[in-house]
Structure formats: structure tokens, C-alpha cells
Amino acid sequence: KFQVPEDVLIDILSRLSVKSLLRFKCVKKSWRNFIEDPVFIAMHLNYYGKSSVGFLLYGSRPYKYIKQYLNCSSIDVSMSIKILFGKSPGYMIGSTNGLVCLSNDLYFFLKEDKWLSIYICNPSTREILELPECHHAHNDFVLSIGFGFCPKFNDYKVVVVKLLDSVVNVRDPNCCLFSLGVEVYSLNRNSWRSTKIVNPRSVLTTSFQGKGYFNGAFHWGGRDLKSSKRMIMSFQFDEEVFRELNLPNHPDFQKENYFLNALIIEYQNFFSLIIKQKVNMHVYDLWVMKEYGVSDSWIKQLTIEVPILEDRLMFQPMMSFENNGELLVLRDWYGRIVWYNTKTKQIERSKEVLRGRSIRYKESLVSLSTKKVV
């Protein structure tokens, strides 16, 4: 009786979809064991994950759901999360290695009747974990939440940044002193750790659209408190510290509302930004940071002109270029998803009207330490 060598079998299985592998776990015990093995999960993420990169769309109306898109079509990975947040709309914070972080709210005061509810889930395996409640006082204001992977410790972390009580500076009554509270959750420990930054020199101003996580850090818009200089602020998950990244030295990044027009993407493995041109509402520039963290390495890689259709719809870029580096995902004002091929200049629109936030996503078998299947 011929048997496929184990190394060949594992190589074949590492290139199959998560849905198929979950079924194959029932074939026999040995298959289940190596499909659940961390080494195989990493191999599958490296092989199959590269070809399954698409995006997730989180919709809060007419019901709460997560839906996955791969290239120009919806695929059979959707997940209702109505049970998680009740009347709260809920938000997708970010995604990495197939795990997605969800929160019941953003930018709000923590009061006695208001608390922060955070989940990590894997939509492909239907696993979901409710995080323990983080530490807070009831007058803290949540500025932002980030989620990402910590390569040094093979861990997944959530960071909550809060504005703590501010007080008037007695030496300068026009200046307030304040502190930032930073709560960091570790999936490995399943617990939170608290730190405080007293009188920070810069502060988060807003979340970017698109992919906040890149290269072991989560990114936001920021501003220097003394000079009002705009920047990108990152939270490094390995060291659990904030760092500053300079923006490209270009007039389009000096606009008051540039954060509303800028989109973080990962283009050919580089940290990148797409921003709408100041003079042309249908032209976008793609800026690439050739060496992550080095300000002088920003270059304008591409200029993309999105055609004006007969109905003259305005487009909002919402997702990065896909596998071939040519596909830009947009959303029109009606809420329809639009795929635009930057080389062929062809446009394809979905028939569904889907409203919600989108994030880059790839399928994976990455498991949560405490599992609850929904």
C-alpha cells in the first residue's frame, strides 16, 4: 500500500485553505496533531497566507458582521458578531496573522455605566476570546486602541492609550499638564500591564485609515505639543514604547485635514501612504518609506488617477494594493466596494452596498489560548 511521505503530505496541506484543513482534522489523529502544531501553523501562514491576502469588511448595519473579500469577490468567510456588542456598533481595531481585534467603542470617557469591551477573534476558525477588563479610572478618556504582533516573544498585544486628568500649570496658566495612561494586554499572559507617560512631548491626534500595524508596531497620526509639527506615532510592541516617524517633506502632508485623506498601506513589503492630491480630487500619490523609520527614505512611488465615472462618484481609498501590486480597493459614496486596476484602468464594482471599516486580512490557523467557538 502506497503512502505519501509525511514531509510531502505536510507540504501539500500547508498550501490548502483553513476551511479545508479544519475538515481534514477529522480524518485521523495524526493529521489533527500536526495541523494544530505551531510549526505547521507558521508554515501554513507563510505558504497559504501569502496567497490568501484580501480584506475584511466590518459592517454595523443592518446587522453586525465580518465579511472577507479576496481579490474581486466575496468568499465564504463571514462571521456575525451581533452577540458581542449589543446596541454598541463595535469597531475593528486591526488585524495581523489572521487574528482580528474588536472593540465596543473608540474615543470615549470611561464612566461608571461605560466600560471598554475588547475581543480578539480568528474569523477563519471562528475562535473568539474576550479580554479581561483593563485598568481604568472612571474619568479616563480613551484616545485610541492598537493591536499587533510581538515578534520577539511570539505574542499578540493590544494597547489602549488614555488621556488622564489634566491640571493647570501654575507657572503658565495657559498651559495644561497631563499624562497618558498606557495599558498593554499580552495574549501569552492573558493580562494587562499599566504604565504612565507624564507630560508627553507629543500626543496621538487621530487613527489612520487602512493598515495600522506594520513591522511590529501600530501607527497613528500625531502632533508635537510644542511645535505643532505633524508626524506618525508608533507603539513598538516588543519594547512597549512610543516612537515618532516623520512624514514625507511635501505640501500635501501639511494640510490641516491630511489625516482624513491619508491611508496606511503595505506596498511590496514597505510601509507606505496613499494621499489624495491637494489640487486634484481624483488623483492619489503613493509614498513609500524604503527604510522603515528613516525619514529621508520617503519617495513618491506612484501617482494614481482614478477615472471619473458617468455618475461622477467620489472615491475613498480604503485598502492596499493586492497580490499583484496593481489592484486598489476603493469605496464609492453609495457604500459599494470598487476594485480599480491601476494598469488596465478597469473598474469593477460590487452589487452589495456595504458600509463599515475595512482592514487587510489573510487567513490563518493561528489559535487563541482560550477558545470559544461562535
Side-chain angles (χ1 to χ4, degrees):
K1 182 180 178 180
F2 175 75
Q3 283 191 328
V4 178
E6 185 175 290
D7 58 338
V8 175
L9 177 63
I10 292 176
D11 184 71
I12 293 171
L13 291 177
S14 68
R15 302 172 192 273
L16 300 180
S17 69
V18 172
K19 186 177 180 180
S20 297
L21 291 172
L22 293 179
R23 293 201 309 267
F24 292 161
K25 285 169 66 173
C26 301
V27 173
K28 53 183 179 179
K29 187 177 180 180
S30 61
W31 284 34
R32 181 184 184 92
N33 289 341
F34 67 68
I35 289 175
E36 293 180 348
D37 186 273
V39 175
F40 176 79
I41 290 173
M43 182 187 298
H44 179 264
L45 187 65
N46 184 51
Y47 289 160
Y48 179 75
K50 288 182 178 178
S51 62
S52 70
V53 176
F55 69 94
L56 291 181
L57 184 72
Y58 170 79
S60 58
R61 296 191 182 105
Y63 56 90
K64 301 181 183 72
Y65 62 88
I66 296 176
K67 197 165 192 175
Q68 184 179 356
Y69 283 78
L70 184 62
N71 295 326
C72 296
S73 61
S74 172
I75 64 176
D76 188 23
V77 176
S78 59
M79 180 179 181
S80 174
I81 54 174
K82 189 175 182 179
I83 61 172
L84 300 186
F85 301 125
K87 294 182 180 180
S88 172
Y91 296 88
M92 278 200 303
I93 304 302
S95 174
T96 182
N97 294 345
L99 298 185
V100 179
C101 182
L102 304 161
S103 169
N104 64 326
D105 212 337
L106 290 173
Y107 320 121
F108 66 98
F109 282 101
L110 293 164
K111 300 293 185 181
E112 290 185 4
D113 59 344
K114 185 82 171 181
W115 63 90
L116 191 58
S117 181
I118 303 176
Y119 296 83
I120 299 175
C121 70
N122 184 330
S124 298
T125 63
R126 306 296 179 125
E127 293 175 357
I128 189 161
L129 173 70
E130 182 177 11
L131 273 57
E133 189 173 346
C134 68
H135 312 293
H136 66 265
H138 290 305
N139 55 354
D140 293 348
F141 181 77
V142 175
L143 283 173
S144 197
I145 306 171
F147 171 67
F149 180 61
C150 175
K152 185 176 181 179
F153 301 106
N154 191 30
D155 195 5
Y156 293 87
K157 293 185 178 181
V158 177
V159 57
V160 177
V161 186
K162 302 173 299 181
L163 179 64
L164 306 181
D165 280 339
S166 59
V167 295
V168 176
N169 187 345
V170 292
R171 296 182 179 179
D172 183 0
N174 296 319
C175 176
C176 286
L177 303 177
F178 68 94
S179 299
L180 293 179
V182 183
E183 309 286 342
V184 182
Y185 169 82
S186 161
L187 182 60
N188 286 351
R189 298 192 307 266
N190 191 32
S191 63
W192 294 88
R193 189 180 72 84
S194 303
T195 58
K196 182 187 286 189
I197 303 175
V198 180
N199 299 330
R201 68 178 190 179
S202 54
V203 68
L204 312 182
T205 56
T206 183
S207 295
F208 274 106
Q209 301 177 64
K211 181 182 173 67
Y213 173 79
F214 180 84
N215 198 43
F218 199 87
H219 301 81
W220 299 269
R223 183 192 292 269
D224 186 281
L225 292 172
K226 288 186 177 180
S227 66
S228 294
K229 175 186 174 183
R230 299 178 184 278
M231 66 186 72
I232 297 171
M233 288 189 67
S234 69
F235 183 79
Q236 306 290 320
F237 287 107
D238 278 355
E239 297 88 359
E240 297 187 0
V241 295
F242 284 97
R243 290 183 180 162
E244 299 172 0
L245 299 177
N246 287 329
L247 290 161
N249 185 19
H250 189 274
D252 279 350
F253 289 92
Q254 308 308 317
K255 294 183 292 184
E256 186 64 28
N257 64 343
Y258 89 94
F259 281 121
L260 300 177
N261 297 323
L263 174 77
I264 288 181
I265 72 166
E266 182 178 339
Y267 177 67
Q268 296 182 352
N269 298 320
F270 292 110
F271 182 78
S272 308
L273 291 169
I274 290 181
I275 188 167
K276 189 180 292 184
Q277 280 191 0
K278 194 172 184 178
V279 295
N280 194 327
M281 297 295 287
H282 290 276
V283 177
Y284 298 89
D285 291 326
L286 170 67
W287 288 82
V288 171
M289 187 177 252
K290 287 293 187 179
E291 186 176 348
Y292 180 76
V294 178
S295 304
D296 293 339
S297 67
W298 281 111
I299 64 166
K300 187 190 291 187
Q301 185 81 24
L302 290 173
T303 296
I304 308 152
E305 184 172 358
V306 179
I308 303 174
L309 304 183
E310 293 179 2
D311 51 12
R312 300 185 67 83
L313 290 175
M314 297 292 292
F315 290 117
Q316 171 194 0
M318 54 176 276
M319 189 44 55
S320 65
F321 292 84
E322 297 306 320
N323 298 336
N324 57 8
E326 302 169 5
L327 200 62
L328 179 64
V329 184
L330 310 162
R331 186 190 354 249
D332 68 23
W333 275 14
Y334 292 131
R336 291 174 297 192
I337 307 300
V338 179
W339 291 267
Y340 175 56
N341 191 304
T342 59
K343 287 195 173 181
T344 66
K345 312 299 183 185
Q346 296 296 309
I347 279 183
E348 183 175 341
R349 282 191 279 190
S350 68
K351 296 179 181 179
E352 300 172 279
V353 176
L354 301 169
R355 301 187 183 278
R357 188 178 180 187
S358 60
I359 54 173
R360 188 178 175 92
Y361 176 78
K362 59 183 176 183
E363 290 185 45
S364 84
L365 289 163
V366 174
S367 184
L368 302 166
S369 56
T370 303
K371 304 182 184 71
K372 179 182 176 183
V373 179
V374 298

